[in-house]
Amino acid sequence: MNFLAHAWLAGESPADRLGGLMGDFVKGPLPAGLPPDVAAGVRLHRQIDVFAETHPAFQRSRARVSPERRRVAGVMVDMFYDHFLALHWERFHDEPLERFSAAMYALMDANGVLLPPRLEVILPRMRESDWLGSYRSADVIAMALDRMAQRLRRANPLTGSGGELLVDYAGFEADFFEFIAAAEAFAAKSRALRGPG
């Protein structure tokens, strides 16, 4: 659920950014009516997810998570990395995070007919609370993980998991910087290999 990272790693194309934001909400085969350029953005999201799962820094971060939460470690690390991206945003993008975030909400608003139903439902809350910009706060990350825990139908260990970020903050941060540089290069290469259109 690392919306900020996927929006940023999508590059400058609005279609790729839209697909990157939609990626966590589109499971299985891509919807038939999805425009090809947005579908390409969803596929890029999926490629980045696969890349993350196998990257040594991401794996190290998963291993930092306590054994009782290991099965949800990927979700936790996604959120922790969005925190570090928001916190250090000026290192990664010239545009202020507030403006970038507002542009992402506007992009989703303008393409509401394409949004998966669940994303369409949460978009007003996402915009009103500025989820993307608020990720700078470790407390907000903790609250977001707690909200996820409440939404899941099955019992899960996500409740209280935000506290684990603070247990090894420097370690997660070091992993993030190593990972995000590699992920940026991977995403750029994936977009280039795909070619125009």
Side-chain angles (χ1 to χ4, degrees):
M1 306 302 286
N2 48 342
F3 300 125
L4 183 60
H6 276 292
W8 177 70
L9 288 169
E12 298 301 319
S13 159
D16 280 339
R17 286 181 174 177
L18 185 62
L21 289 162
M22 291 170 55
D24 284 317
F25 301 91
V26 180
K27 304 300 179 191
L30 297 179
L34 208 57
D37 53 353
V38 177
V42 175
R43 282 192 291 274
L44 177 62
H45 176 118
R46 292 176 176 183
Q47 291 170 332
I48 291 167
D49 281 351
V50 170
F51 174 81
E53 288 300 319
T54 59
H55 192 275
F58 194 89
Q59 290 177 338
R60 268 197 312 278
S61 284
R62 288 178 66 118
R64 294 181 196 281
V65 171
S66 62
E68 60 269 19
R69 291 193 170 104
R70 203 60 55 80
R71 72 183 174 91
V72 293
V75 173
M76 293 168 60
V77 173
D78 277 351
M79 295 297 292
F80 296 170
Y81 282 11
D82 257 12
H83 164 66
F84 291 118
L85 180 58
L87 187 66
H88 300 292
W89 181 257
E90 67 282 351
R91 296 189 190 192
F92 298 99
H93 207 287
D94 293 335
E95 185 176 32
L97 180 55
E98 292 75 15
R99 197 176 307 157
F100 181 88
S101 299
M104 294 305 99
Y105 307 136
L107 177 65
M108 288 186 280
D109 271 335
N111 292 277
V113 68
L114 299 176
L115 297 183
R118 207 167 105 242
L119 179 54
E120 191 176 11
V121 167
I122 68 168
L123 177 57
R125 287 196 316 265
M126 184 186 288
R127 183 179 47 248
E128 286 160 20
S129 300
D130 185 20
W131 287 10
L132 301 178
S134 69
Y135 289 156
R136 283 188 178 120
S137 164
D139 289 342
V140 169
I141 295 296
M143 285 189 297
L145 287 165
D146 287 347
R147 280 196 307 265
M148 275 188 230
Q150 292 167 2
R151 283 198 310 270
L152 295 174
R153 290 185 180 92
R154 295 184 199 158
N156 65 82
L158 273 176
T159 302
S161 61
E164 296 211 18
L165 173 60
L166 305 180
V167 172
D168 193 359
Y169 194 87
F172 283 117
E173 187 172 40
D175 294 343
F176 161 77
F177 278 118
E178 180 182 332
F179 169 77
I180 203 69
E184 182 181 19
F186 172 81
K189 183 177 179 182
S190 297
R191 292 191 309 268
L193 287 173
R194 185 178 66 201

